Amino acid sequence: MIFAIVAVALALSQVELDLPPLDAGKTTASVTGSSLIEQAFTNQQSDVQVEGSGTVTKLLADDLKGSRHQRFIITLASNRTLLIAHNIDLAPRIDALAVGDTVYFYGEYEWNQRGGVLHWTHHDPRGHHVDGWLRHHNRVYQ
């Protein structure tokens, strides 16, 4: 019963904020996002769709080779760090991003020895890949 009330409250708050809707599958992924990333890291898996959140610990220079990407590092609840590579040719840049901010994400995890990279945090203009997103200060970037 409590879970149903929380789910309804989340759904209503997202309508008011114009956030991507949560469905049962994404709610589960959100709760276990850090665990899914830990599992993918341990198993050296890539191409894993994950949802979660982390705290910005470092802002990096944009990657300007090929498609431009805003890059920053977040720390997850598990203390694992994750590089976010957000395509700013396809999605808006997060201009107000600062160290210490919380960022929520839905994208594709790629394994590397440093903790991994999250990309596909944007819509796919060709419609072949699951759309991802970043959320910062209740604004969605996709």
Side-chain angles (χ1 to χ4, degrees):
M1 178 71 166
I2 293 173
F3 179 75
I5 293 169
V6 170
V8 168
L10 282 172
L12 289 174
S13 69
Q14 288 178 346
V15 169
E16 294 173 9
L17 297 173
D18 196 27
L19 301 176
L22 287 175
D23 60 29
K26 285 188 182 178
T27 301
T28 302
S30 181
V31 171
T32 61
S34 191
S35 299
L36 290 173
I37 292 170
E38 285 302 312
Q39 181 180 26
F41 179 80
T42 299
N43 297 326
Q44 298 184 6
Q45 291 178 294
S46 292
D47 305 321
V48 178
Q49 200 70 29
V50 295
E51 181 177 2
S53 65
T55 302
V56 177
T57 52
K58 188 168 188 176
L59 301 173
L60 303 170
D62 290 350
D63 178 0
L64 303 176
K65 297 177 185 170
S67 296
R68 298 174 309 138
H69 288 79
Q70 180 178 16
R71 300 179 315 143
F72 54 96
I73 297 173
I74 62 171
T75 300
L76 305 172
S78 65
N79 285 325
R80 169 105 27 232
T81 58
L82 183 64
L83 171 65
I84 306 292
H86 180 59
N87 188 321
I88 53 176
D89 285 335
L90 295 175
R93 149 187 227 77
I94 306 174
D95 288 324
L97 191 64
V99 171
D101 288 353
T102 298
V103 173
Y104 299 86
F105 58 82
Y106 183 63
E108 188 175 277
Y109 174 84
E110 296 290 332
W111 180 88
N112 71 28
Q113 294 178 349
R114 293 183 171 182
V117 177
L118 185 82
H119 67 129
W120 280 102
T121 57
H122 54 82
H123 71 283
D124 179 5
R126 296 183 184 175
H128 299 298
H129 194 280
V130 175
D131 290 344
W133 47 264
L134 295 176
R135 187 171 73 209
H136 176 256
H137 292 169
N138 292 323
R139 181 171 172 206
V140 175
Y141 298 81
Q142 70 177 156

